[in-house]
Amino acid sequence: MAAPGGATETPTSTPFPALSRARDLSGDGGVRKAELRPGSGRAVPPGASVAVKYSGYFEHKEEPFCTNCHRRFPGLMKLGKDITLQGLEIGLLTMKKGEVAKFVFAPDYAYGQRGCPPLIPPSATVMFEVELLDFLDTAESDMFFELTAEQQDAYPLQKVLKVADTERKFGNYLYRKRLFQVAKDRYKRAFSILGRTPSSEVEQRQIDASKLLVLLNLSLTYLKLERPAQALAYGEKALDINQSNAKALFRCGQACLCLMEYERARDFLVRAQYILPFNCDINNELKKLASCYKDYMEKEKEMCCRMFASLNSSSG
């Protein structure tokens, strides 16, 4: 007998009776869901990469048998590849960003009749509490990078641009988690497919716009990795596309300051300030440059004084 809202009546003798009226997702009662907190936006699409916090429980056990809630920044996991529980994948496809839900998985949708001894007993029904932190629709991107080079070259430009944008967003997610090394790799992967020869000026502008975003991200990420020479190189590549891009000028100025190339740093930062005269970051960087240059000149003066004093002492 169906309960209101499409739920399926289940005898209270089944495991986790408190969730016996939860929504039946699988049609056979094998995957049941109770929403604890609603999410927003669209549901997770097939083939997406998801960031989730989860804890798995056996019935009558307060401590989870598995959890990743101790991790501050859970990594992205791809549906159908990194997530091995069929029930969890079915459940995630119904979730929206920010949602928290409880799921009950029958053995056929969890660890099977054999279980995973000694941790998972045979024929175990389990309950998972899941929070969907974020997701990226990476299905087309993942498929693209599985193609041969020839197949990639034949891919329509608009789809290539979409793949590059997905990879850049993946990099942005990792960057926000301060995973700069892997973020850099994602940005480079995006940049690697943008070497298309355009068939029109419109296509050239589209490619340049996509390249510019990736190059700016690469420059910033290399600064975070304390590799200013690479940050400067990618910033200058961005300026080759748009000489008046304030962000590119600012990144180049920051990189030159780290490299102690003070004259070049000043040139880049003054040009950026001319475009955005009231930008606090640019103005603060110019103040930092002035202070660093003053300290540098004082140290140079002190070194010269010591050198002449040493020479005078030797001649005496």
Side-chain angles (χ1 to χ4, degrees), residues 65-77:
F65 66 85
C66 69
T67 183
N68 72 341
C69 289
H70 59 278
R71 297 180 61 183
R72 186 178 178 188
F73 299 125
L76 286 165
M77 299 184 293

Side-chain angles (χ1 to χ4, degrees), residues 239-252:
L239 288 174
D240 289 340
I241 296 174
N242 183 354
Q243 294 182 357
S244 61
N245 186 278
K247 282 188 177 180
L249 290 165
F250 179 55
R251 300 281 178 257
C252 289

Side-chain angles (χ1 to χ4, degrees), residues 235-297:
E236 289 181 320
K237 286 179 183 290
L239 288 174
D240 289 340
I241 296 174
N242 183 354
Q243 294 182 357
S244 61
N245 186 278
K247 282 188 177 180
L249 290 165
F250 179 55
R251 300 281 178 257
C252 289
Q254 287 179 297
C256 287
L257 180 53
C258 293
L259 293 166
M260 298 178 65
E261 297 182 15
Y262 297 125
E263 291 298 327
R264 290 188 72 194
R266 185 178 184 282
D267 176 64
F268 283 123
L269 292 172
V270 167
R271 287 163 61 190
Q273 187 186 51
Y274 180 79
I275 298 167
L276 297 174
F278 303 111
N279 184 278
C280 293
D281 291 333
I282 296 171
N283 292 330
N284 288 336
E285 200 71 10
L286 279 165
K287 292 176 183 177
K288 180 180 176 182
L289 169 63
S291 176
C292 290
Y293 186 70
K294 180 181 177 182
D295 291 344
Y296 170 77
M297 293 305 295

Side-chain angles (χ1 to χ4, degrees), residues 182-218:
V182 282
K184 177 260 296 180
D185 293 339
R186 284 287 172 170
Y187 294 141
K188 280 194 168 183
R189 196 154 93 138
F191 190 69
S192 71
I193 64 173
L194 292 173
R196 285 291 186 92
T197 301
S199 60
S200 66
E201 289 186 9
V202 172
E203 286 192 357
Q204 183 65 66
R205 286 195 295 270
Q206 291 175 329
I207 293 171
D208 285 346
S210 186
K211 277 185 176 180
L212 183 61
L213 292 174
V214 176
L215 289 168
L216 290 171
N217 287 341
L218 275 167

